[in-house]
Amino acid sequence: MTPSLTRRGLAGLALGLALGGALPALAQSSGEPVMIGVSGPLTGPQAQYGALWKQGFDLALERINAEGGIDGRPLEYTFEDSQNDPRQTIAIAQKFISDPAIVVEVGDFSSTASMAASPLYQRGGLVQFGFTNSHPDFTKTGDYMWSSSISQSQEQQVMADYAVDRLGLRRIAVLHLNTDWGTTAKNIFVEEAKKRGAEVVAAEGYLPDEKDFRATLTRIKASDPDGLLLESYYSDGALLVRQIREVGIDLPIVAVGSVYSPDFLSLAGDAANGVHTTAYFTPVSPRPEVQAFIKDFTAEYGQEPNNFNAMAYDTMNILAEVMRRHGTTREEIKAGLGEISGVPSVLFPEVSFDPETRRVMGLEPTELIVKDGAFQLFQP
Amino acid sequence: MGSILSLPWFDFTVSGVVIGSIYALMAVGLALIFGVANLINFAHGAVFTVGAYVGWVCAVALGLPLWATVPLVALGGGLVGAGIEYIAIRPLNRQSRIAPLLATIGVGLILDQIVHILFGANPRALPVPMPGWRVSVGQGSIGPIDITIFVTAVIAAAALYAFLFRTRLGMAVRATAQDEDAAKQMGVNIHAVNMAVFAIAGALGAIAGLLVGIYYNAIDPNTSFQIMLKGMVAIVIGGMANVPGAIGGGVILGLIESYGIALFGASYRNLFAFAVLLLMLLVKPNGLFAKGREREAEPMTGTFVIQSMPVRPPGWLLALGVAAAALVPLAGQPYLTQVMTNAFLYALAAISLTLIAGTVGLVSIGHAALLAIGAYASALLTIAGLPVALGLVAAAAITALLGTALAYPAFRLRGHYVAIGTLAIGEIVSLVILNWTSLTNGSMGVFGIPPLTLFGVDFFSTNPSYWLVLGLVVVFALLQTRLLSSHLGRTWRAIREDTVAAETYGVGSNYYKGLAYGFAGFTAGLAGAVTAHQFSYINFDTFNLLTSVLILTIVILGGLGNVTGAIVAAVLVAGLPEMFRVLAEYRMLFYGAALLLLIRFRPRGLLGSG
């Protein structure tokens, strides 16, 4: 460990303490816990994301509670398994709404599962805080739906900037997950690319459980693109880049930020080299919050954090900060989300929410490329 | 035409053969088991997954070389295969064909869940050092692993063929397949034969899992069902019990998918697979390579309803039960009320399935399709401006018509062909919803479905929506019970018991099957429509294969054909796992074990089949 890193870590710690406000330094929290209800997948096809969330939540709570929790009360969460299934998210919503101990709800994972429960949370007056819900309609159900997930219109503008303006691609082939997320992303990207003077020559959707893309890629190749854009998650993204190279396509690949994960590198192997992506959370960022998070996470779990870990970690910190500044009742949290600003987090330098769209503001994407089996800053 | 001809057909052919050899490798094991046990082993996909993870433990965790990994994987798969025979097949020896098929679904769920618990859901890399050379074929290339997969499939098929037709044990296997009792009398130990076959097929399936894992450099516990379905389509193409035909079937399926993608795009892939499956079942159920009708269709219509006296609870008890159910919201626990609403929605779906599966004898693994049709019909109509009350009725009517028309081809199928055929229909409905973007909004789903209000009265709050659903269950249960005691019920049961005899007596079986489907479709469509208004958002995956399996589990638990049983079982199946939320990770284990134990120990269900 270099001294400079240690200083950064200390700076991060000091900053965190300063933001803790009037709390006594390093006071252990005690008393009635402040309870957050989490609805997410612990079993079923999306179970891995629930596991990633837990790691992020636990790490954040450890720190928050070591610093005195919420005005001396420990912050805790209860995790209900929804299997990312709308039938179960609405049952869980009833449970949380009727439990007076729950002050805010977090989740669910997919927009489908989350939005099924949204009308209930809206009527029940409990904030539904979705941090993986990039669906443009997620926050539209009502004023109790808030999201720290980058909306897809924001994300796809970044992708189009990267692919068209930075890399100079003019004939782009898009491969996208044929889900609400992937299709929305594709549609917005097509428009944004057009605005920047590029053409989308092919767009192919695939289902999340598909593994074989050779025929699809042959079709893509026949459309004669000069670059590929992947609207994928990391596991299917890895399968794709391997097979892209196997069918002999040797063009630049730009992948949406959700491939940013160590697992993408191990699953894709050598084929990952040369893949462009963007990240809001990246270890190469010099910001002290990021470095402190990576250090703590690696020490706790013996592995490097990924994007989902970071988003979960941020979620707890943002909510804790809202509660500290504005109070812990359901209504105070809802009002607080609209007013809070300048919260530093791992993903964003300064978090605040647009009170109109109830979406996070203050993005600052980092452009990355895979080199020698690692994500590195892209310098053309 | 010029543009079609100018497509890189050679490259599409290569792509088709590469994926086709993976399907072929799966199909060989399935065909072998079908040949002996006359059964589609739905757990074969889970064996594939187990093989992949045993391979990961050996090659990555223990760092063993490939030559040591392969036999260990084969051993592991063989043991699992033998275990499946011992647990799910042997005890059901004297039951009808559909019983072991459902038992293998249960075993598959259990195995998948065990892998899931042990290794987590995250995909893992399976980096096994392979020779670095690649052969350029067309514009792409194939590597040593592609060739290994194809060669393994061919060698396995050839070896099995030689084993079946050149060895004494092989002869015993074939004798067992033809006539179990006769084989037994000739001194064949049929249990040992069956177990040997399942072990061989298990070893093959596990090796397939390892090879495919290496090919993709990725393994995850959620691949089982998809790969099993593709293997199943391959053996239907190649001829169910035809081991060499399985290779042809796999490659043909790969080519059809690849050419389909070439012409229409990637999102149509599975639609082609299942359409081919359905077509084959209808036109050439013995496969492309059959010389004639080798295997006689099963004499039974294909239920495993054994005559039993259904428990008939007295009327006052039922009335008391309904009254107690109506009081649930007064407990002041919205969560409990919501869980019960879900349970009664399942009950409504189960009532409709118990009619077609139990009373008429068409055991369907695609029932969720009816829910999906009802849900989409009501959602789209009400968004277009129709009042919700009319939307619900229209959706139910549309489901009745469309559902019957869709299932009509399956009416002539028998035994487990019904199960496969309905499964295919269910998948096709879901894939059409996915691809018919102009009507259904495709993968984006339908958002902003109006909440339940009937004639200006609020039915969307927790309690009113509960009472509404409960009311629907009571009305349709009474209606169906009334139908079953009429001449219609007698005719349906006659068709189930012996279709040929019924037709001899002048009963047009298709007409009566159609009536049953129409009534069931109406009920199921209504259940789907109410669900859609409750969720306010649905997509093509809201009612999936797992929903179908769950509804079938409920119906079997309640006793096939038993209306009261279906309702009680729905409350148990949908309610119990909620009470054991602490055991969340084991929920699927619970479903799998329940299905398996039921078929084993109470095939007539809790309340007996009627």
Side-chain angles (χ1 to χ4, degrees):
Chain A
M1 195 61 61
T2 62
S4 77
L5 255 185
T6 316
R7 265 205 302 280
R8 271 180 202 153
L10 281 171
L13 191 65
L15 196 66
L17 287 175
L19 285 165
L23 295 171
L26 291 175
Q28 283 293 330
S29 47
S30 62
E32 186 77 3
V34 179
M35 196 57 94
I36 295 175
V38 180
S39 164
L42 288 177
T43 61
Q46 260 78 40
Q48 73 255 38
Y49 299 105
L52 297 173
W53 287 12
K54 270 190 159 177
Q55 292 179 326
F57 292 156
D58 291 341
L59 190 67
L61 289 188
E62 210 173 283
R63 212 208 66 199
I64 291 167
N65 288 330
E67 289 170 7
I70 310 298
D71 300 335
R73 294 168 64 191
L75 186 62
E76 288 177 13
Y77 70 92
T78 168
F79 202 130
E80 293 286 352
D81 175 26
S82 66
Q83 297 186 316
N84 195 36
D85 171 4
R87 262 173 225 81
Q88 298 178 34
T89 55
I90 55 172
I92 292 169
Q94 299 283 8
K95 192 173 197 169
F96 285 159
I97 292 166
S98 63
D99 181 352
I102 305 284
V103 296
V104 57
E105 189 267 352
V106 168
D108 203 277
F109 176 67
S110 79
S111 298
T112 317
S114 313
M115 282 152 69
S118 296
L120 287 171
Y121 287 117
Q122 179 66 24
R123 285 201 295 272
L126 180 61
V127 165
Q128 181 183 29
F129 191 87
F131 66 95
T132 53
N133 307 104
S134 55
H135 195 292
D137 290 339
F138 171 71
T139 56
K140 289 186 185 161
T141 304
D143 55 354
Y144 283 87
M145 279 73 238
W146 295 77
S147 178
S148 63
S149 167
I150 301 128
S151 86
Q152 297 201 316
S153 21
Q154 298 166 323
E155 175 87 38
Q156 294 308 315
Q157 287 177 28
V158 170
M159 298 315 294
D161 283 343
Y162 200 172
V164 182
D165 297 344
R166 290 276 279 183
L167 299 175
L169 303 181
R170 287 292 173 269
R171 294 175 55 81
I172 302 169
V174 179
L175 282 146
H176 65 95
L177 270 168
N178 206 354
T179 59
D180 56 346
W181 175 83
T183 311
T184 313
K186 184 258 299 177
N187 291 342
I188 302 172
F189 179 82
V190 170
E191 269 177 39
E192 293 295 333
K194 216 176 272 171
K195 275 187 208 160
R196 289 162 179 74
E199 189 191 352
V200 172
V201 293
E204 293 291 332
Y206 60 90
L207 293 176
D209 50 13
E210 265 178 64
K211 301 266 183 257
D212 168 68
F213 303 104
R214 286 188 76 121
T216 312
L217 291 167
T218 308
R219 187 177 161 90
I220 290 275
K221 195 157 52 164
S223 69
D224 191 28
D226 62 3
L228 273 66
L229 185 99
L230 310 185
E231 309 282 8
S232 311
Y233 285 177
Y234 64 80
S235 50
D236 41 296
L239 287 173
L240 265 168
V241 298
R242 279 177 75 88
Q243 293 178 43
I244 286 170
R245 299 311 181 209
E246 277 173 17
V247 300
I249 299 179
D250 200 20
L251 297 170
I253 301 172
V254 185
V256 72
S258 39
V259 304
Y260 179 75
S261 153
D263 288 328
F264 174 76
L265 299 177
S266 70
L267 290 170
D270 289 342
N273 286 328
V275 172
H276 298 269
T277 188
T278 60
Y280 297 91
F281 158 69
T282 163
V284 290
S285 163
R287 285 194 296 119
E289 296 84 9
V290 180
Q291 292 307 324
F293 168 64
I294 293 170
K295 194 168 141 250
D296 293 349
F297 191 95
T298 316
E300 181 82 24
Y301 300 109
Q303 68 193 55
E304 284 203 2
N306 69 18
N307 204 23
F308 289 97
N309 295 133
M311 289 192 288
Y313 180 82
D314 275 356
T315 297
M316 284 297 163
N317 286 323
I318 293 169
L319 290 175
E321 199 51 40
V322 169
M323 291 178 203
R324 283 172 184 150
R325 292 195 201 170
H326 297 278
T328 56
T329 69
R330 292 180 176 183
E331 285 306 311
E332 282 168 343
I333 290 171
K334 179 193 161 221
L337 280 165
E339 290 169 21
I340 200 155
S341 67
V343 184
S345 77
V346 175
L347 263 78
F348 314 107
E350 286 198 338
V351 173
S352 58
F353 293 88
D354 181 338
E356 286 303 306
T357 61
R358 295 177 294 282
R359 289 264 179 202
V360 70
M361 300 193 300
L363 311 183
E364 207 177 83
T366 312
E367 292 174 337
L368 301 170
I369 185 169
V370 181
K371 246 190 226 163
D372 307 323
F375 290 105
Q376 303 188 6
L377 286 176
F378 174 58
Q379 282 140 347
Chain B
M1 276 320 278
S3 70
I4 288 179
L5 287 176
S6 67
L7 285 176
W9 288 110
F10 181 75
D11 287 329
F12 280 115
T13 308
V14 174
S15 308
V17 173
V18 168
I19 185 72
S21 23
I22 291 176
Y23 298 157
L25 196 52
M26 281 305 281
V28 170
L30 283 169
L32 179 66
I33 287 179
F34 193 92
V36 182
N38 199 4
L39 137 94
I40 293 204
N41 179 10
F42 274 79
H44 202 62
V47 177
F48 172 93
T49 304
V50 169
Y53 277 88
V54 173
W56 182 87
V57 169
C58 295
V60 178
L62 302 177
L64 297 177
L66 194 58
W67 59 262
T69 300
V70 171
L72 286 171
V73 167
L75 182 69
L79 287 175
V80 174
I84 292 173
E85 195 275 337
Y86 189 75
I87 294 168
I89 308 299
R90 189 175 299 186
L92 303 175
N93 201 15
R94 287 292 159 210
Q95 297 211 15
S96 81
R97 303 284 182 218
I98 197 76
L101 185 148
L102 297 175
T104 58
I105 293 183
V107 173
L109 286 177
I110 294 172
L111 284 175
D112 275 352
Q113 195 60 31
I114 290 174
V115 170
H116 201 142
I117 291 167
L118 289 179
F119 295 95
N122 234 342
R124 283 161 196 256
L126 187 54
V128 171
M130 293 295 277
W133 52 265
R134 294 189 71 82
V135 187
S136 290
V137 182
Q139 296 176 46
S141 66
I142 55 174
I145 188 73
D146 309 53
I147 298 166
T148 311
I149 288 174
F150 186 72
V151 169
T152 310
V154 172
I155 291 179
L160 285 174
Y161 191 80
F163 161 73
L164 287 173
F165 289 91
R166 296 280 181 273
T167 66
R168 279 185 68 82
L169 184 58
M171 194 191 283
V173 170
R174 284 184 296 133
T176 310
Q178 273 178 7
D179 190 333
E180 223 166 67
D181 292 322
K184 219 173 187 173
Q185 283 168 346
M186 302 309 290
V188 174
N189 181 351
I190 57 163
H191 287 319
V193 166
N194 271 341
M195 191 178 262
V197 166
F198 270 84
I200 293 171
L204 256 176
I207 289 178
L210 172 70
L211 290 178
V212 174
I214 297 173
Y215 173 63
Y216 289 129
N217 187 36
I219 55 174
D220 78 75
N222 300 313
T223 34
S224 306
F225 218 82
Q226 274 300 323
I227 194 94
M228 205 290 305
L229 288 180
K230 293 299 170 65
M232 184 179 85
V233 180
I235 63 167
V236 172
I237 295 175
M240 299 293 248
N242 185 340
V243 171
I247 303 272
V251 173
I252 290 172
L253 176 62
L255 289 173
I256 290 174
E257 285 189 2
S258 187
Y259 295 149
I261 290 171
L263 293 172
F264 298 100
S267 62
Y268 288 89
R269 142 176 274 158
N270 287 351
L271 197 55
F272 284 108
F274 290 108
V276 167
L277 173 67
L278 201 58
L279 202 69
M280 287 298 300
L281 284 181
L282 295 173
V283 181
K284 277 189 83 71
N286 291 315
L288 280 183
F289 309 118
K291 291 182 198 79
R293 286 188 71 84
E294 286 175 354
R295 189 177 286 273
E296 200 44 43
E298 287 162 66
M300 294 266 294
T301 316
T303 71
F304 65 121
V305 181
I306 304 158
Q307 304 297 0
S308 73
M309 279 302 288
V311 181
R312 292 203 189 284
W316 61 267
L317 189 63
L318 291 177
L320 205 65
V322 172
L327 295 179
V328 164
L330 302 186
Q333 296 208 358
Y335 173 66
L336 176 71
T337 312
Q338 185 68 49
V339 168
M340 291 299 283
T341 310
N342 282 353
F344 283 125
L345 280 171
Y346 272 117
L348 208 51
I351 290 175
S352 68
L353 181 60
T354 211
L355 177 67
I356 47 184
T359 310
V360 189
L362 295 164
V363 176
S364 164
I365 321 187
H367 206 63
L370 296 179
L371 300 179
I373 294 173
Y376 266 88
S378 191
L380 295 174
L381 287 172
T382 50
I383 286 176
L386 211 63
V388 174
L390 281 181
L392 291 179
V393 177
I398 290 172
T399 314
L401 289 175
L402 205 56
T404 312
L406 283 171
Y408 186 77
F411 287 175
R412 46 184 284 200
L413 302 177
R414 286 157 188 241
H416 46 231
Y417 289 98
V418 176
I420 307 170
T422 49
L423 190 156
I425 293 169
E427 292 296 290
I428 288 171
V429 166
S430 145
L431 289 163
V432 166
I433 290 174
L434 175 66
N435 282 303
W436 195 349
T437 313
S438 59
L439 180 73
T440 62
N441 216 6
S443 54
M444 301 285 291
V446 179
F447 175 67
I449 304 168
L452 280 171
T453 42
L454 303 180
F455 313 108
V457 183
D458 147 36
F459 275 100
F460 54 80
S461 313
T462 314
N463 293 352
S465 81
Y466 171 79
W467 281 315
L468 174 74
V469 175
L470 179 65
L472 288 176
V473 169
V474 172
V475 167
F476 279 89
L478 287 175
L479 212 58
Q480 190 161 320
T481 317
R482 175 73 191 83
L483 279 183
L484 290 179
S485 59
S486 72
H487 77 283
L488 210 50
R490 263 195 315 282
T491 314
W492 281 334
R493 281 188 290 267
I495 293 171
R496 174 188 74 197
E497 295 309 326
D498 195 333
T499 309
V500 178
E503 291 200 330
T504 320
Y505 276 92
V507 173
S509 71
N510 277 355
Y511 172 72
Y512 284 97
K513 284 177 182 174
L515 276 185
Y517 240 95
F519 187 77
F522 194 90
T523 318
L526 203 56
V530 172
T531 314
H533 290 287
Q534 237 188 7
F535 289 180
S536 85
Y537 177 88
I538 50 171
N539 70 6
F540 75 100
D541 199 36
T542 309
F543 306 95
N544 56 22
L545 195 60
L546 201 62
T547 317
S548 293
V549 172
L550 202 58
I551 299 173
L552 188 60
T553 313
I554 291 172
V555 166
I556 296 169
L557 176 62
L560 277 164
N562 189 323
V563 177
T564 321
I567 301 170
V568 173
V571 172
L572 286 178
V573 168
L576 272 186
E578 290 293 335
M579 293 171 197
F580 298 112
R581 270 205 168 272
V582 253
L583 303 174
E585 291 200 35
Y586 303 94
R587 194 133 33 120
M588 295 316 293
L589 209 58
F590 171 88
Y591 289 144
L595 189 59
L596 188 60
L597 292 174
L598 270 172
I599 292 162
R600 170 77 177 81
F601 295 107
R602 273 201 83 81
R604 281 153 236 167
L606 291 177
L607 298 189
S609 49

